[in-house]
Amino acid sequence: MTAVWGSTFVLIKDVVGRMPVADFLAVRFIVAAFAMFVLFHRHVMRLDRRQLLRGIVLGVIYGTGQLLQTWGLAMISPSVSGFVTGMYVVFTPILATVLLRQRMPAVIWLAVGMATLGLGLLSLNGLSVDEGVWLTLLSALLYGLHIVALGHWTRAEEVFGLSAVQMAVIALVCLLATAGHGGPTLPPDRSAWMAVLYMALIAGAGAMLMQTWAQAHLPATRAAIVMTTEPVFAAGFAVALGSDVLTWRMLVGGGLVLAAMYLVELIPRRGVADGQPAEAAHHEV
């Protein structure tokens, strides 16, 4: 999922240079929501009232985060935006501790610190704290909240329906953001449409489905640390496509992020060590 997200930076930069940001987001998520409801409308109908409401809440959180992040990006450099957005890796364990009263092993906090340092090396050449930074930081807080809530609320048998509801609400939130200028404008040409369709179907609907499924099986804090590989993949695609050159900061920063991910994946589960089934141990992390 994060590899797909990392592949989209070049596409987004090109498209939002030719159409308003809110319009791009609205069209992208409307297409994604339509595709998901065509495929999974029966799964939506099987959701009970509680899960339907939870899907709506999750969609509002994520959609608002998307808008805040994109508005912030218009005011600051992409590298600073990438770092500040990645701060959800810090917010996620804090929110899980405060809201869910989960105990975090010391190694989790070590991995959070490593991932944050790695993100800084990947993204930062200086940081000015202005309005765009605060908007992006708020979006990171919302992404952390989404990760925690999604992990807490998702059940494996409801993945398809919950994903579709979230996507529909995200589309509605982004559509409302275009109301000030009379609704969304469409992509201006064929190449822009191809980029929007990729963003909608693969990086939108597909990624939301993968995230919802994965978080039905993975603790929120571990998911957040794995997600910090997004800028690593983004840097890799930028180098591979010739739009950037490989630097020591990429190597060291990317190495720290990957090391943090493997650190939390190699943590022995106490329940497994005690002879419990792996699924029971999952809930102790």
Side-chain angles (χ1 to χ4, degrees):
M1 178 186 70
T2 57
V4 170
W5 284 345
S7 72
T8 62
F9 280 74
V10 175
L11 293 176
I12 292 175
K13 184 176 180 180
D14 176 64
V15 175
V16 298
R18 293 185 285 153
M19 64 183 296
V21 167
D23 296 34
F24 160 70
L25 290 175
V27 174
R28 170 190 173 185
F29 286 115
I30 287 171
V31 172
F34 178 78
M36 293 194 80
F37 267 86
V38 168
L39 293 173
F40 305 126
H41 60 278
R42 292 180 181 175
H43 296 269
V44 174
M45 298 300 294
R46 288 200 289 265
L47 292 176
D48 60 33
R49 185 174 180 179
R50 173 184 289 184
Q51 285 302 91
L52 188 62
L53 181 59
R54 287 174 172 177
I56 292 171
V57 171
L58 288 166
V60 170
I61 293 171
Y62 193 92
T64 305
Q66 282 276 313
L67 287 168
L68 289 173
Q69 180 191 2
T70 310
W71 286 331
L73 178 59
M75 305 177 191
I76 57 178
S77 69
S79 62
V80 173
S81 175
F83 170 75
V84 179
T85 301
M87 292 303 290
Y88 62 70
V89 74
V90 176
F91 289 132
T92 299
I94 293 173
L95 289 168
T97 301
V98 173
L99 298 178
L100 304 180
R101 301 182 184 276
Q102 293 180 356
R103 287 190 306 160
M104 295 297 161
V107 70
I108 290 288
W109 295 108
L110 174 61
V112 166
M114 291 171 60
T116 303
L117 180 59
L119 288 169
L121 286 172
L122 277 170
S123 306
L124 292 182
N125 289 309
L127 178 62
S128 58
V129 181
D130 54 21
E131 184 181 356
V133 171
W134 290 114
L135 287 173
T136 309
L137 192 64
L138 183 56
S139 78
L141 178 63
L142 291 175
Y143 289 147
L145 181 60
H146 181 265
I147 291 168
V148 170
L150 186 63
H152 187 60
W153 286 342
T154 301
R155 296 193 290 262
E157 66 273 15
E158 297 172 342
V159 165
F160 297 119
L162 194 63
S163 298
V165 172
Q166 286 183 83
M167 193 58 65
V169 176
I170 294 167
L172 179 60
V173 169
C174 294
L175 184 63
L176 290 174
T178 70
H181 54 267
T185 56
L186 297 179
D189 52 46
R190 181 178 178 180
S191 65
W193 264 113
M194 293 299 293
V196 168
L197 289 175
Y198 174 78
M199 292 291 300
L201 301 178
I202 307 301
M208 177 60 71
L209 186 61
M210 285 188 283
Q211 182 184 359
T212 304
W213 179 87
Q215 287 205 240
H217 301 81
L218 188 69
T221 300
R222 288 171 65 198
I225 293 173
V226 172
M227 288 179 197
T228 59
T229 57
E230 178 184 356
V232 180
F233 283 113
F237 279 109
V239 172
L241 295 173
S243 60
D244 210 338
V245 294
L246 188 65
T247 66
W248 72 267
R249 293 170 67 99
M250 286 184 185
L251 290 173
V252 176
L256 282 169
V257 170
L258 292 175
M261 183 187 74
Y262 281 108
L263 183 62
V264 298
E265 285 305 303
L266 293 175
I267 296 172
R269 300 185 183 184
R270 289 172 297 169
V272 174
D274 294 338
Q276 297 177 15
E279 185 60 27
H282 161 83
H283 297 289
E284 293 191 30
V285 177

